[in-house]
Amino acid sequence: MTDPSLSGKPPSGKPPSGKPPSGKPPSGKPSSGKSRSADGEPAAAGPDHPRGPLAGLRVLDLATLFAGPLAATLLGDFGAEVIKVEHPRRPDPSRGHGPAKDGIGLWWKLLGRNKKTLTLDLSHPGGRDVLLRLAAGTDVIVENFRPGTLEKWGLGWAELSAVNPRLVLARVTGFGQFGPYARRPGFGTLAEAMSGFAAITGEPDGPPTLPPFGLADAITALTTAYAVMAALRARDTGGRGQVIDLALIEPMLTVLGPQPLWYDQLGHVQPRTGNRSANVAPRNTYRTADGSWVVVSTSAESVAERVMRLVGRPEVIDEPWFGTGAGRARHADELDAAVGDWIARRDRAEVLAAFEKAEAAVAPVYDIRDVLADPQYRALGSITEVPDEELGTLRMQNVLFRLSETPGAIRWAGRPHGADTDEVLAGLGLGEAEIAALRGAGTL
């Protein structure tokens, strides 16, 4: 569980059919077909273009909020057929998170893109049977129930691998499948706290600070997608699937860098330093004369030298301490004062132009309005337009990276709850009477 608090000259072509059911866009309408390759330009769909490198893979998304579902989204962006399984009477909570338009949750439109939506009560015997039938023709299942929940329903690894020995089961939980905390509820916020992230975030004299978005969930989603691809590669060479046990606390711990090494070898515990870095200086946010904010980074000594020459303090470059990042960090007050005073006397445009001319590293502090207007994001195609049958054209993040030969694509935005249930079940061979019976029993 995670905290209740992703196009170029080759177009994407038609959505991948994968295994049955049909891979046509769920609405039956033509897909936008926008793909993303090395030059970032979207193009119209066509029958002769690549379908994505994961075309032919089927993924069942049984997870909620947010790491597991986002991992499935990333796989779907590159051609996998993703079927989102939701409870018939309790839709995925992300449908109700954040702002909505006309009663339709916007977060789901992003998280649910490229997914077919199926309602199924897995705790019901009929739901168990349907899930096992789906699993028999599936490559990957992503789930984030508390350890033991699938086993309680007769859907554990023993049952799933019996119907499909090549299946990869990705289990994403707060604390992993074993250990003293395994059965605790585990959300991204807890991982941000227990990994050490919150302890080093915030001002030195202030409280530990949590991110205002699902940071641990997003990092875990990326890790899960990577783990799935590693497991699929192992299956290609060894013939069998396997279980992925992924705990939210571990990817967060990894991205925090060498803190365990520092403590193990030196007894060093990284403190909170606000926007400063304990490793280099100057590195901070600085306010311009017109009330904007910019950030400066000087991880490389050559860049630090350029910055100090630009702001009129070249003499500090000859100081013995200036030659290392740690030495500069110990003199952050002096360096910050010099950079901050210079920036404070100039408007943002002048600051950015001067830094660019000096080949020094600076960036404006953007909000989402700036992101949408920025020419670099536009050149990359980082934000793209996606047609949606409920809300019209939507702007959202494009697929995560560009491939020159087999680009990813956003084929549709998040679909209504259960919109594809009949199509998916018909693809399993269930007739209208069987589907009606399951729906009457509350399974669908």
Side-chain angles (χ1 to χ4, degrees), residues 98-162:
K101 181 180 179 182
D102 299 334
I104 299 169
L106 298 177
W107 200 333
W108 168 252
K109 289 296 179 183
L110 174 68
L111 193 63
R113 73 187 191 192
N114 292 334
K115 298 180 183 180
K116 298 177 180 180
T117 59
L118 165 72
T119 56
L120 196 62
D121 185 347
L122 300 180
S123 66
H124 190 282
R128 173 189 181 275
D129 294 342
V130 170
L131 196 283
L132 288 175
R133 291 180 66 173
L134 278 169
T138 288
D139 298 284
V140 180
I141 292 179
V142 181
E143 65 98 357
N144 69 338
F145 298 105
R146 289 197 207 183
T149 301
L150 284 183
E151 286 76 7
K152 178 179 66 176
W153 295 335
L155 290 170
W157 178 241
E159 291 84 1
L160 292 171
S161 62

Short mmCIF file of all heavy atoms in Angstrom, two decimals, residues 98-162:
data_model
loop_
_atom_site.label_atom_id
_atom_site.label_comp_id
_atom_site.label_asym_id
_atom_site.label_seq_id
_atom_site.Cartn_x
_atom_site.Cartn_y
_atom_site.Cartn_z
N GLY A 98 -7.51 14.44 -4.99
CA GLY A 98 -7.18 15.69 -5.66
C GLY A 98 -8.37 16.30 -6.37
O GLY A 98 -9.52 15.84 -6.26
N PRO A 99 -8.12 17.36 -7.14
CA PRO A 99 -9.20 18.07 -7.83
C PRO A 99 -9.92 17.19 -8.85
O PRO A 99 -9.34 16.27 -9.43
CB PRO A 99 -8.47 19.22 -8.53
CG PRO A 99 -7.22 19.42 -7.73
CD PRO A 99 -6.83 18.05 -7.28
N ALA A 100 -11.19 17.50 -9.05
CA ALA A 100 -12.02 16.79 -10.03
C ALA A 100 -12.70 17.82 -10.92
O ALA A 100 -12.88 18.99 -10.55
CB ALA A 100 -13.07 15.94 -9.33
N LYS A 101 -13.07 17.37 -12.12
CA LYS A 101 -13.84 18.21 -13.03
C LYS A 101 -15.11 17.45 -13.41
O LYS A 101 -15.03 16.29 -13.84
CB LYS A 101 -13.04 18.54 -14.29
CG LYS A 101 -13.78 19.42 -15.28
CD LYS A 101 -12.94 19.71 -16.51
CE LYS A 101 -13.71 20.59 -17.50
NZ LYS A 101 -12.90 20.84 -18.73
N ASP A 102 -16.25 18.08 -13.21
CA ASP A 102 -17.54 17.45 -13.49
C ASP A 102 -17.67 16.12 -12.75
O ASP A 102 -18.22 15.15 -13.28
CB ASP A 102 -17.72 17.23 -15.00
CG ASP A 102 -17.70 18.53 -15.79
OD1 ASP A 102 -18.04 19.58 -15.21
OD2 ASP A 102 -17.33 18.49 -16.98
N GLY A 103 -17.10 16.06 -11.55
CA GLY A 103 -17.18 14.84 -10.75
C GLY A 103 -16.21 13.75 -11.16
O GLY A 103 -16.26 12.64 -10.61
N ILE A 104 -15.33 14.03 -12.10
CA ILE A 104 -14.38 13.03 -12.61
C ILE A 104 -13.00 13.38 -12.10
O ILE A 104 -12.47 14.46 -12.37
CB ILE A 104 -14.40 12.99 -14.15
CG1 ILE A 104 -15.79 12.62 -14.66
CG2 ILE A 104 -13.36 12.02 -14.68
CD1 ILE A 104 -15.98 12.82 -16.14
N GLY A 105 -12.40 12.48 -11.35
CA GLY A 105 -11.07 12.72 -10.78
C GLY A 105 -10.01 12.84 -11.86
O GLY A 105 -9.92 12.00 -12.76
N LEU A 106 -9.19 13.88 -11.78
CA LEU A 106 -8.18 14.12 -12.80
C LEU A 106 -6.92 13.29 -12.58
O LEU A 106 -6.24 12.93 -13.54
CB LEU A 106 -7.83 15.61 -12.84
CG LEU A 106 -9.00 16.53 -13.21
CD1 LEU A 106 -8.58 17.99 -13.14
CD2 LEU A 106 -9.52 16.20 -14.61
N TRP A 107 -6.59 12.98 -11.34
CA TRP A 107 -5.40 12.17 -11.08
C TRP A 107 -5.54 10.81 -11.76
O TRP A 107 -4.58 10.27 -12.31
CB TRP A 107 -5.22 12.01 -9.57
CG TRP A 107 -3.84 11.63 -9.13
CD1 TRP A 107 -2.89 10.95 -9.84
CD2 TRP A 107 -3.24 11.96 -7.87
NE1 TRP A 107 -1.75 10.80 -9.09
CE2 TRP A 107 -1.93 11.40 -7.89
CE3 TRP A 107 -3.67 12.62 -6.73
CZ2 TRP A 107 -1.06 11.51 -6.79
CZ3 TRP A 107 -2.81 12.73 -5.66
CH2 TRP A 107 -1.53 12.19 -5.70
N TRP A 108 -6.75 10.25 -11.71
CA TRP A 108 -6.97 8.95 -12.34
C TRP A 108 -6.72 8.99 -13.83
O TRP A 108 -6.28 8.02 -14.44
CB TRP A 108 -8.39 8.45 -12.06
CG TRP A 108 -8.75 7.28 -12.91
CD1 TRP A 108 -9.63 7.26 -13.96
CD2 TRP A 108 -8.21 5.96 -12.84
NE1 TRP A 108 -9.68 6.02 -14.53
CE2 TRP A 108 -8.80 5.20 -13.86
CE3 TRP A 108 -7.26 5.36 -12.01
CZ2 TRP A 108 -8.50 3.86 -14.08
CZ3 TRP A 108 -6.95 4.02 -12.22
CH2 TRP A 108 -7.57 3.29 -13.25
N LYS A 109 -7.02 10.13 -14.46
CA LYS A 109 -6.81 10.23 -15.90
C LYS A 109 -5.35 9.99 -16.27
O LYS A 109 -5.04 9.43 -17.33
CB LYS A 109 -7.28 11.61 -16.42
CG LYS A 109 -8.79 11.79 -16.41
CD LYS A 109 -9.46 10.81 -17.36
CE LYS A 109 -10.97 10.94 -17.36
NZ LYS A 109 -11.61 9.94 -18.24
N LEU A 110 -4.45 10.42 -15.40
CA LEU A 110 -3.02 10.16 -15.60
C LEU A 110 -2.66 8.74 -15.18
O LEU A 110 -2.05 7.98 -15.95
CB LEU A 110 -2.20 11.17 -14.79
CG LEU A 110 -0.69 10.96 -14.77
CD1 LEU A 110 -0.10 11.22 -16.14
CD2 LEU A 110 -0.05 11.88 -13.73
N LEU A 111 -3.04 8.37 -13.96
CA LEU A 111 -2.63 7.06 -13.42
C LEU A 111 -3.28 5.90 -14.17
O LEU A 111 -2.71 4.82 -14.26
CB LEU A 111 -3.02 7.01 -11.94
CG LEU A 111 -2.42 5.89 -11.10
CD1 LEU A 111 -0.91 5.99 -11.04
CD2 LEU A 111 -3.01 5.91 -9.69
N GLY A 112 -4.45 6.12 -14.73
CA GLY A 112 -5.19 5.06 -15.40
C GLY A 112 -5.01 5.03 -16.90
O GLY A 112 -5.67 4.23 -17.58
N ARG A 113 -4.09 5.85 -17.43
CA ARG A 113 -3.95 5.89 -18.88
C ARG A 113 -3.42 4.55 -19.40
O ARG A 113 -2.69 3.84 -18.72
CB ARG A 113 -3.06 7.04 -19.31
CG ARG A 113 -1.59 6.85 -19.02
CD ARG A 113 -0.84 8.14 -19.35
NE ARG A 113 0.60 7.99 -19.33
CZ ARG A 113 1.45 9.01 -19.37
NH1 ARG A 113 0.97 10.24 -19.39
NH2 ARG A 113 2.74 8.80 -19.38
N ASN A 114 -3.83 4.23 -20.61
CA ASN A 114 -3.42 2.99 -21.30
C ASN A 114 -3.87 1.73 -20.56
O ASN A 114 -3.33 0.65 -20.80
CB ASN A 114 -1.91 2.95 -21.50
CG ASN A 114 -1.42 3.99 -22.49
OD1 ASN A 114 -2.17 4.42 -23.37
ND2 ASN A 114 -0.17 4.41 -22.36
N LYS A 115 -4.88 1.84 -19.67
CA LYS A 115 -5.36 0.67 -18.94
C LYS A 115 -6.82 0.40 -19.28
O LYS A 115 -7.63 1.33 -19.35
CB LYS A 115 -5.24 0.89 -17.42
CG LYS A 115 -3.82 1.10 -16.93
CD LYS A 115 -3.77 1.32 -15.42
CE LYS A 115 -2.35 1.60 -14.96
NZ LYS A 115 -2.26 1.81 -13.50
N LYS A 116 -7.14 -0.87 -19.47
CA LYS A 116 -8.54 -1.30 -19.50
C LYS A 116 -9.00 -1.46 -18.05
O LYS A 116 -8.21 -1.78 -17.16
CB LYS A 116 -8.69 -2.61 -20.25
CG LYS A 116 -8.25 -2.51 -21.70
CD LYS A 116 -8.35 -3.86 -22.40
CE LYS A 116 -7.92 -3.74 -23.85
NZ LYS A 116 -8.01 -5.04 -24.57
N THR A 117 -10.28 -1.22 -17.81
CA THR A 117 -10.78 -1.26 -16.45
C THR A 117 -11.78 -2.40 -16.29
O THR A 117 -12.76 -2.51 -17.04
CB THR A 117 -11.43 0.08 -16.06
OG1 THR A 117 -12.51 0.36 -16.96
CG2 THR A 117 -10.42 1.21 -16.12
N LEU A 118 -11.53 -3.23 -15.30
CA LEU A 118 -12.33 -4.42 -15.02
C LEU A 118 -12.74 -4.39 -13.56
O LEU A 118 -11.91 -4.12 -12.68
CB LEU A 118 -11.49 -5.68 -15.29
CG LEU A 118 -11.99 -7.02 -14.74
CD1 LEU A 118 -13.20 -7.50 -15.52
CD2 LEU A 118 -10.87 -8.06 -14.79
N THR A 119 -14.01 -4.65 -13.26
CA THR A 119 -14.43 -4.78 -11.87
C THR A 119 -14.49 -6.26 -11.50
O THR A 119 -15.01 -7.09 -12.27
CB THR A 119 -15.80 -4.13 -11.63
OG1 THR A 119 -16.77 -4.69 -12.52
CG2 THR A 119 -15.72 -2.62 -11.87
N LEU A 120 -13.96 -6.58 -10.31
CA LEU A 120 -13.89 -7.98 -9.88
C LEU A 120 -13.66 -8.01 -8.38
O LEU A 120 -12.71 -7.41 -7.87
CB LEU A 120 -12.73 -8.68 -10.61
CG LEU A 120 -12.70 -10.20 -10.59
CD1 LEU A 120 -13.92 -10.79 -11.29
CD2 LEU A 120 -11.42 -10.69 -11.27
N ASP A 121 -14.52 -8.70 -7.66
CA ASP A 121 -14.35 -8.89 -6.23
C ASP A 121 -13.51 -10.14 -6.02
O ASP A 121 -13.99 -11.27 -6.14
CB ASP A 121 -15.72 -9.04 -5.56
CG ASP A 121 -15.63 -9.11 -4.03
OD1 ASP A 121 -14.51 -9.31 -3.51
OD2 ASP A 121 -16.67 -9.00 -3.37
N LEU A 122 -12.23 -9.95 -5.69
CA LEU A 122 -11.31 -11.07 -5.58
C LEU A 122 -11.58 -11.92 -4.35
O LEU A 122 -11.15 -13.09 -4.30
CB LEU A 122 -9.87 -10.55 -5.52
CG LEU A 122 -9.40 -9.75 -6.74
CD1 LEU A 122 -7.95 -9.31 -6.56
CD2 LEU A 122 -9.55 -10.56 -8.02
N SER A 123 -12.29 -11.38 -3.37
CA SER A 123 -12.61 -12.16 -2.18
C SER A 123 -13.79 -13.09 -2.40
O SER A 123 -14.07 -13.97 -1.58
CB SER A 123 -12.90 -11.24 -1.00
OG SER A 123 -14.10 -10.49 -1.23
N HIS A 124 -14.49 -12.92 -3.53
CA HIS A 124 -15.64 -13.76 -3.87
C HIS A 124 -15.13 -14.98 -4.65
O HIS A 124 -14.23 -14.85 -5.49
CB HIS A 124 -16.62 -12.95 -4.72
CG HIS A 124 -17.94 -13.59 -4.94
ND1 HIS A 124 -18.13 -14.60 -5.85
CD2 HIS A 124 -19.15 -13.36 -4.37
CE1 HIS A 124 -19.40 -14.97 -5.85
NE2 HIS A 124 -20.05 -14.23 -4.96
N PRO A 125 -15.66 -16.17 -4.41
CA PRO A 125 -15.19 -17.35 -5.15
C PRO A 125 -15.23 -17.18 -6.66
O PRO A 125 -14.31 -17.62 -7.37
CB PRO A 125 -16.14 -18.46 -4.68
CG PRO A 125 -16.58 -18.02 -3.32
CD PRO A 125 -16.67 -16.52 -3.38
N GLY A 126 -16.28 -16.54 -7.16
CA GLY A 126 -16.35 -16.30 -8.60
C GLY A 126 -15.24 -15.38 -9.07
O GLY A 126 -14.69 -15.55 -10.16
N GLY A 127 -14.91 -14.38 -8.25
CA GLY A 127 -13.82 -13.47 -8.59
C GLY A 127 -12.48 -14.19 -8.60
O GLY A 127 -11.63 -13.94 -9.47
N ARG A 128 -12.30 -15.09 -7.65
CA ARG A 128 -11.07 -15.89 -7.62
C ARG A 128 -10.93 -16.69 -8.91
O ARG A 128 -9.85 -16.73 -9.52
CB ARG A 128 -11.07 -16.82 -6.41
CG ARG A 128 -9.92 -17.81 -6.38
CD ARG A 128 -10.12 -18.85 -5.28
NE ARG A 128 -8.99 -19.78 -5.24
CZ ARG A 128 -8.87 -20.86 -5.98
NH1 ARG A 128 -9.83 -21.17 -6.86
NH2 ARG A 128 -7.81 -21.64 -5.88
N ASP A 129 -12.01 -17.32 -9.33
CA ASP A 129 -11.95 -18.16 -10.54
C ASP A 129 -11.61 -17.33 -11.77
O ASP A 129 -10.80 -17.75 -12.61
CB ASP A 129 -13.28 -18.89 -10.73
CG ASP A 129 -13.55 -19.90 -9.61
OD1 ASP A 129 -12.58 -20.28 -8.91
OD2 ASP A 129 -14.72 -20.29 -9.45
N VAL A 130 -12.22 -16.15 -11.88
CA VAL A 130 -11.96 -15.29 -13.03
C VAL A 130 -10.51 -14.84 -13.01
O VAL A 130 -9.83 -14.82 -14.05
CB VAL A 130 -12.92 -14.09 -13.06
CG1 VAL A 130 -12.48 -13.07 -14.11
CG2 VAL A 130 -14.35 -14.55 -13.34
N LEU A 131 -10.01 -14.46 -11.83
CA LEU A 131 -8.64 -13.98 -11.74
C LEU A 131 -7.66 -15.07 -12.15
O LEU A 131 -6.68 -14.81 -12.87
CB LEU A 131 -8.35 -13.49 -10.32
CG LEU A 131 -7.12 -12.60 -10.06
CD1 LEU A 131 -5.83 -13.39 -10.02
CD2 LEU A 131 -7.03 -11.46 -11.07
N LEU A 132 -7.92 -16.31 -11.74
CA LEU A 132 -7.02 -17.40 -12.12
C LEU A 132 -7.06 -17.63 -13.63
O LEU A 132 -6.04 -17.94 -14.25
CB LEU A 132 -7.38 -18.67 -11.36
CG LEU A 132 -7.02 -18.68 -9.88
CD1 LEU A 132 -7.55 -19.95 -9.20
CD2 LEU A 132 -5.51 -18.58 -9.67
N ARG A 133 -8.23 -17.48 -14.23
CA ARG A 133 -8.32 -17.62 -15.69
C ARG A 133 -7.54 -16.52 -16.38
O ARG A 133 -6.87 -16.76 -17.39
CB ARG A 133 -9.78 -17.62 -16.13
CG ARG A 133 -10.54 -18.87 -15.70
CD ARG A 133 -12.00 -18.85 -16.14
NE ARG A 133 -12.16 -18.93 -17.59
CZ ARG A 133 -13.33 -19.07 -18.21
NH1 ARG A 133 -14.45 -19.16 -17.48
NH2 ARG A 133 -13.40 -19.13 -19.52
N LEU A 134 -7.64 -15.30 -15.85
CA LEU A 134 -6.85 -14.21 -16.40
C LEU A 134 -5.35 -14.45 -16.22
O LEU A 134 -4.55 -14.23 -17.13
CB LEU A 134 -7.24 -12.88 -15.73
CG LEU A 134 -8.47 -12.15 -16.26
CD1 LEU A 134 -8.85 -11.03 -15.31
CD2 LEU A 134 -8.20 -11.59 -17.65
N ALA A 135 -4.98 -14.92 -15.03
CA ALA A 135 -3.57 -15.13 -14.71
C ALA A 135 -2.93 -16.15 -15.64
O ALA A 135 -1.73 -16.07 -15.94
CB ALA A 135 -3.41 -15.57 -13.26
N ALA A 136 -3.71 -17.10 -16.11
CA ALA A 136 -3.16 -18.14 -16.98
C ALA A 136 -2.60 -17.56 -18.27
O ALA A 136 -1.69 -18.14 -18.88
CB ALA A 136 -4.24 -19.18 -17.30
N GLY A 137 -3.12 -16.42 -18.72
CA GLY A 137 -2.63 -15.80 -19.94
C GLY A 137 -1.96 -14.46 -19.70
O GLY A 137 -1.93 -13.62 -20.59
N THR A 138 -1.44 -14.27 -18.49
CA THR A 138 -0.87 -12.98 -18.09
C THR A 138 0.63 -13.13 -17.86
O THR A 138 1.11 -14.18 -17.43
CB THR A 138 -1.57 -12.46 -16.82
OG1 THR A 138 -2.89 -12.04 -17.16
CG2 THR A 138 -0.83 -11.30 -16.18
N ASP A 139 1.36 -12.06 -18.13
CA ASP A 139 2.81 -12.06 -17.90
C ASP A 139 3.18 -11.50 -16.53
O ASP A 139 4.11 -12.00 -15.89
CB ASP A 139 3.50 -11.23 -18.99
CG ASP A 139 3.28 -11.81 -20.37
OD1 ASP A 139 3.93 -12.81 -20.70
OD2 ASP A 139 2.42 -11.27 -21.10
N VAL A 140 2.47 -10.46 -16.09
CA VAL A 140 2.85 -9.76 -14.86
C VAL A 140 1.59 -9.42 -14.07
O VAL A 140 0.61 -8.93 -14.65
CB VAL A 140 3.62 -8.45 -15.17
CG1 VAL A 140 4.00 -7.74 -13.88
CG2 VAL A 140 4.84 -8.72 -16.02
N ILE A 141 1.62 -9.66 -12.78
CA ILE A 141 0.60 -9.16 -11.86
C ILE A 141 1.28 -8.22 -10.88
O ILE A 141 2.32 -8.55 -10.30
CB ILE A 141 -0.11 -10.29 -11.10
CG1 ILE A 141 -0.96 -11.13 -12.07
CG2 ILE A 141 -0.99 -9.73 -9.98
CD1 ILE A 141 -1.68 -12.29 -11.41
N VAL A 142 0.70 -7.03 -10.69
CA VAL A 142 1.20 -6.07 -9.71
C VAL A 142 0.14 -5.95 -8.61
O VAL A 142 -1.03 -5.66 -8.90
CB VAL A 142 1.45 -4.69 -10.35
CG1 VAL A 142 2.00 -3.71 -9.31
CG2 VAL A 142 2.40 -4.80 -11.54
N GLU A 143 0.54 -6.20 -7.36
CA GLU A 143 -0.41 -6.10 -6.25
C GLU A 143 0.25 -5.44 -5.06
O GLU A 143 1.48 -5.45 -4.92
CB GLU A 143 -0.93 -7.50 -5.87
CG GLU A 143 0.10 -8.44 -5.31
CD GLU A 143 0.10 -8.52 -3.78
OE1 GLU A 143 -0.69 -7.79 -3.15
OE2 GLU A 143 0.91 -9.29 -3.25
N ASN A 144 -0.57 -4.84 -4.18
CA ASN A 144 -0.02 -4.22 -2.97
C ASN A 144 -0.90 -4.45 -1.75
O ASN A 144 -0.98 -3.61 -0.86
CB ASN A 144 0.24 -2.72 -3.19
CG ASN A 144 -1.05 -1.90 -3.32
OD1 ASN A 144 -2.10 -2.44 -3.65
ND2 ASN A 144 -0.96 -0.61 -3.08
N PHE A 145 -1.58 -5.60 -1.71
CA PHE A 145 -2.32 -5.96 -0.51
C PHE A 145 -1.36 -6.27 0.63
O PHE A 145 -0.18 -6.59 0.41
CB PHE A 145 -3.19 -7.20 -0.78
CG PHE A 145 -4.23 -6.98 -1.85
CD1 PHE A 145 -4.07 -7.52 -3.12
CD2 PHE A 145 -5.37 -6.24 -1.58
CE1 PHE A 145 -5.02 -7.33 -4.11
CE2 PHE A 145 -6.34 -6.04 -2.56
CZ PHE A 145 -6.16 -6.60 -3.83
N ARG A 146 -1.85 -6.20 1.84
CA ARG A 146 -1.00 -6.61 2.97
C ARG A 146 -0.61 -8.07 2.80
O ARG A 146 -1.38 -8.89 2.29
CB ARG A 146 -1.74 -6.42 4.29
CG ARG A 146 -1.94 -4.97 4.68
CD ARG A 146 -2.28 -4.84 6.15
NE ARG A 146 -3.07 -3.65 6.40
CZ ARG A 146 -3.47 -3.27 7.60
NH1 ARG A 146 -3.18 -4.01 8.66
NH2 ARG A 146 -4.17 -2.16 7.76
N PRO A 147 0.61 -8.42 3.22
CA PRO A 147 1.06 -9.82 3.09
C PRO A 147 0.03 -10.78 3.68
O PRO A 147 -0.50 -10.55 4.77
CB PRO A 147 2.36 -9.84 3.88
CG PRO A 147 2.90 -8.45 3.74
CD PRO A 147 1.68 -7.56 3.77
N GLY A 148 -0.27 -11.83 2.92
CA GLY A 148 -1.22 -12.84 3.35
C GLY A 148 -2.62 -12.67 2.80
O GLY A 148 -3.42 -13.61 2.87
N THR A 149 -2.92 -11.48 2.23
CA THR A 149 -4.28 -11.24 1.75
C THR A 149 -4.60 -12.10 0.53
O THR A 149 -5.65 -12.77 0.48
CB THR A 149 -4.48 -9.76 1.40
OG1 THR A 149 -4.23 -8.97 2.57
CG2 THR A 149 -5.89 -9.49 0.90
N LEU A 150 -3.72 -12.12 -0.47
CA LEU A 150 -3.98 -12.97 -1.62
C LEU A 150 -4.05 -14.44 -1.22
O LEU A 150 -4.87 -15.20 -1.75
CB LEU A 150 -2.90 -12.76 -2.68
CG LEU A 150 -2.97 -11.49 -3.53
CD1 LEU A 150 -1.86 -11.49 -4.58
CD2 LEU A 150 -4.32 -11.32 -4.20
N GLU A 151 -3.20 -14.84 -0.30
CA GLU A 151 -3.23 -16.23 0.17
C GLU A 151 -4.56 -16.56 0.83
O GLU A 151 -5.11 -17.65 0.64
CB GLU A 151 -2.06 -16.46 1.14
CG GLU A 151 -0.69 -16.55 0.50
CD GLU A 151 -0.13 -15.20 0.06
OE1 GLU A 151 -0.74 -14.15 0.38
OE2 GLU A 151 0.91 -15.18 -0.60
N LYS A 152 -5.10 -15.63 1.58
CA LYS A 152 -6.39 -15.83 2.24
C LYS A 152 -7.50 -16.07 1.22
O LYS A 152 -8.45 -16.83 1.48
CB LYS A 152 -6.71 -14.60 3.10
CG LYS A 152 -8.06 -14.66 3.81
CD LYS A 152 -8.28 -13.41 4.66
CE LYS A 152 -8.42 -12.17 3.80
NZ LYS A 152 -8.72 -10.95 4.60
N TRP A 153 -7.38 -15.45 0.05
CA TRP A 153 -8.39 -15.61 -0.99
C TRP A 153 -8.10 -16.78 -1.93
O TRP A 153 -8.82 -16.98 -2.91
CB TRP A 153 -8.47 -14.33 -1.84
CG TRP A 153 -8.94 -13.12 -1.08
CD1 TRP A 153 -9.71 -13.09 0.03
CD2 TRP A 153 -8.66 -11.75 -1.42
NE1 TRP A 153 -9.95 -11.80 0.43
CE2 TRP A 153 -9.31 -10.95 -0.44
CE3 TRP A 153 -7.95 -11.12 -2.43
CZ2 TRP A 153 -9.26 -9.55 -0.46
CZ3 TRP A 153 -7.88 -9.74 -2.45
CH2 TRP A 153 -8.54 -8.97 -1.48
N GLY A 154 -7.07 -17.54 -1.63
CA GLY A 154 -6.71 -18.64 -2.52
C GLY A 154 -6.05 -18.18 -3.80
O GLY A 154 -6.13 -18.85 -4.84
N LEU A 155 -5.37 -17.02 -3.73
CA LEU A 155 -4.73 -16.43 -4.91
C LEU A 155 -3.25 -16.15 -4.65
O LEU A 155 -2.67 -15.21 -5.23
CB LEU A 155 -5.45 -15.14 -5.31
CG LEU A 155 -6.87 -15.31 -5.89
CD1 LEU A 155 -7.56 -13.96 -6.01
CD2 LEU A 155 -6.80 -16.00 -7.25
N GLY A 156 -2.64 -16.92 -3.77
CA GLY A 156 -1.22 -16.73 -3.47
C GLY A 156 -0.35 -17.25 -4.59
O GLY A 156 -0.81 -17.73 -5.63
N TRP A 157 0.96 -17.17 -4.36
CA TRP A 157 1.91 -17.57 -5.38
C TRP A 157 1.75 -19.03 -5.77
O TRP A 157 1.91 -19.39 -6.94
CB TRP A 157 3.33 -17.29 -4.92
CG TRP A 157 4.39 -17.70 -5.88
CD1 TRP A 157 5.39 -18.61 -5.67
CD2 TRP A 157 4.57 -17.25 -7.23
NE1 TRP A 157 6.18 -18.75 -6.79
CE2 TRP A 157 5.70 -17.91 -7.78
CE3 TRP A 157 3.88 -16.34 -8.04
CZ2 TRP A 157 6.15 -17.70 -9.08
CZ3 TRP A 157 4.33 -16.13 -9.34
CH2 TRP A 157 5.44 -16.79 -9.86
N ALA A 158 1.41 -19.87 -4.82
CA ALA A 158 1.25 -21.30 -5.14
C ALA A 158 0.15 -21.50 -6.18
O ALA A 158 0.33 -22.24 -7.16
CB ALA A 158 0.94 -22.09 -3.87
N GLU A 159 -0.97 -20.83 -5.98
CA GLU A 159 -2.09 -20.99 -6.91
C GLU A 159 -1.81 -20.29 -8.25
O GLU A 159 -2.11 -20.83 -9.33
CB GLU A 159 -3.37 -20.41 -6.31
CG GLU A 159 -3.92 -21.20 -5.13
CD GLU A 159 -3.26 -20.82 -3.81
OE1 GLU A 159 -2.38 -19.92 -3.80
OE2 GLU A 159 -3.62 -21.42 -2.78
N LEU A 160 -1.23 -19.09 -8.19
CA LEU A 160 -0.99 -18.34 -9.42
C LEU A 160 0.07 -19.02 -10.29
O LEU A 160 -0.10 -19.15 -11.51
CB LEU A 160 -0.55 -16.91 -9.09
CG LEU A 160 -1.63 -16.01 -8.45
CD1 LEU A 160 -1.01 -14.72 -7.96
CD2 LEU A 160 -2.76 -15.72 -9.44
N SER A 161 1.17 -19.46 -9.68
CA SER A 161 2.22 -20.10 -10.47
C SER A 161 1.80 -21.48 -10.97
O SER A 161 2.32 -21.96 -11.98
CB SER A 161 3.50 -20.21 -9.64
OG SER A 161 3.31 -21.01 -8.50
N ALA A 162 0.82 -22.09 -10.28
CA ALA A 162 0.33 -23.39 -10.75
C ALA A 162 -0.39 -23.26 -12.09
O ALA A 162 -0.27 -24.13 -12.96
CB ALA A 162 -0.60 -24.01 -9.71
#
